[in-house]
């Protein structure tokens, strides 16, 4: 897993999260991803960290407070990572390739947090936090749609419905962390490249 401190959503005015907070978040993230949010108790997280429930409550009042910086942070960090990697002077095909491969590289670095974020995206009881997530998600979707629209305009993509095409690509990328085996014969980037080849070439014989 990559460094959680780089992607968490914490108020900068409060300073960086402490080592204990990072430990709690790391263990909670792994448990949420493997057992589901509802399948994990505060006691489970505390035991994994080797601390008491009282100590955990000193840092986080409840499970939602643990979840919130993970989910909002990963949604924002993914978008910023991919957007920064896109070559602005490249054509639509290359930009789509980078969009997909960098998305996969990001989830390889932050796999458990990525799975948690995609699984519980809508569960935060505080409407303001859900709106913030949706704003970052919308920015990310608009980035992909812009690439696809540029490709249509340049004549390199034949897409009748850009929104549907975007959902197809996001579906492939967002589901991948749940079945991808880091020890498998293909790396995440190689799989993303194969996804792209299928998209570009289609499935029908020439």
């Amino acid at each position: 897993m990559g460094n959680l401190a780089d992607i968490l959503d914490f108020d900068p005015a409060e300073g960086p999260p402490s080592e204990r907070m990072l430990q709690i978040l790391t263990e909670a993230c792994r448990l949420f991803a493997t057992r589901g949010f509802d399948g994990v108790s505060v006691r489970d997280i505390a035991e994994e960290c080797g601390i008491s429930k009282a100590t955990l409550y000193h840092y986080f009042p409840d499970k939602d407070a643990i979840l919130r910086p993970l989910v909002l942070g990963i949604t924002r960090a993914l978008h910023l990572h991919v957007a920064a990697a896109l070559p602005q002077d490249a054509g639509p095909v290359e930009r789509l390739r980078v969009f997909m491969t960098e998305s996969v590289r990001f989830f390889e670095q932050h796999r458990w947090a990525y799975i948690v974020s995609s699984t519980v995206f809508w569960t935060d009881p505080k409407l303001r936090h859900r709106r913030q997530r949706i704003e970052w998600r919308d920015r990310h979707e608009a980035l992909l749609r812009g690439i696809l629209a540029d490709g249509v305009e340049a004549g390199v993509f034949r897409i009748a419905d850009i929104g549907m095409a975007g959902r197809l690509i996001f579906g492939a990328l967002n589901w991948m962390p749940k079945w991808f085996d880091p020890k498998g014969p293909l790396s995440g980037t190689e799989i993303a490249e194969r996804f792209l080849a299928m998209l570009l070439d289609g499935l029908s014989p020439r």
Side-chain angles (χ1 to χ4, degrees):
M1 180 185 290
N3 187 358
L4 271 182
D6 295 336
I7 63 171
L8 293 170
D9 179 65
F10 278 106
D11 185 349
E14 298 178 358
S18 66
E19 288 298 319
R20 178 65 77 190
M21 293 174 74
L22 288 174
Q23 180 199 21
I24 294 170
L25 286 160
T26 299
E27 294 301 333
C29 190
R30 181 180 60 81
L31 290 173
F32 291 156
T34 55
R35 292 162 52 178
F37 182 72
D38 293 333
V40 177
S41 67
V42 171
R43 181 183 298 276
D44 293 331
I45 300 169
E47 288 179 352
E48 287 295 318
C49 294
I51 59 177
S52 67
K53 287 175 62 177
T55 299
L56 189 150
Y57 283 132
H58 172 73
Y59 295 98
F60 299 98
D62 51 40
K63 285 199 302 178
D64 286 326
I66 299 174
L67 187 69
R68 190 170 299 120
L70 287 170
V71 179
L72 180 55
I74 203 82
T75 305
R76 179 181 60 197
L78 169 63
H79 172 72
L80 295 176
H81 172 85
V82 174
L86 285 178
Q88 298 304 314
D89 56 347
V93 173
E94 175 61 14
R95 285 160 56 211
L96 179 58
R97 184 190 71 79
V98 172
F99 185 99
M100 295 178 67
T101 56
E102 288 300 323
S103 295
V104 171
R105 286 194 180 100
F106 182 87
F107 94 63
E108 285 184 295
Q109 294 173 2
H110 305 288
R111 188 181 183 194
W112 296 132
Y114 194 102
I115 292 174
V116 171
S117 176
S118 62
T119 302
V120 300
F121 186 87
W122 300 101
T123 61
D124 197 313
K126 294 191 176 181
L127 183 60
R128 179 175 64 86
H129 294 293
R130 290 204 303 271
R131 286 174 175 165
Q132 288 176 321
R133 293 180 199 169
I134 292 170
E135 287 173 2
W136 282 104
R137 182 209 61 183
D138 289 349
R139 291 188 197 184
H140 200 54
E141 290 185 354
L143 185 63
L144 176 58
R145 288 196 298 270
I147 295 171
L148 299 178
D150 288 346
V152 171
E153 184 176 354
V156 296
F157 297 153
R158 181 173 57 85
I159 302 173
D161 187 333
I162 288 176
M164 188 67 71
R167 285 189 284 274
L168 172 65
I169 294 169
F170 279 124
L173 294 175
N174 291 340
W175 186 252
M176 187 177 162
K178 298 185 180 182
W179 58 261
F180 172 68
D181 182 359
K183 298 179 181 179
L186 295 176
S187 69
T189 302
E190 288 171 326
I191 293 173
E193 295 277 9
R194 293 195 179 191
F195 280 167
L196 177 61
M198 292 178 187
L199 289 169
L200 297 177
D201 296 339
L203 299 178
S204 299
R206 298 191 176 208

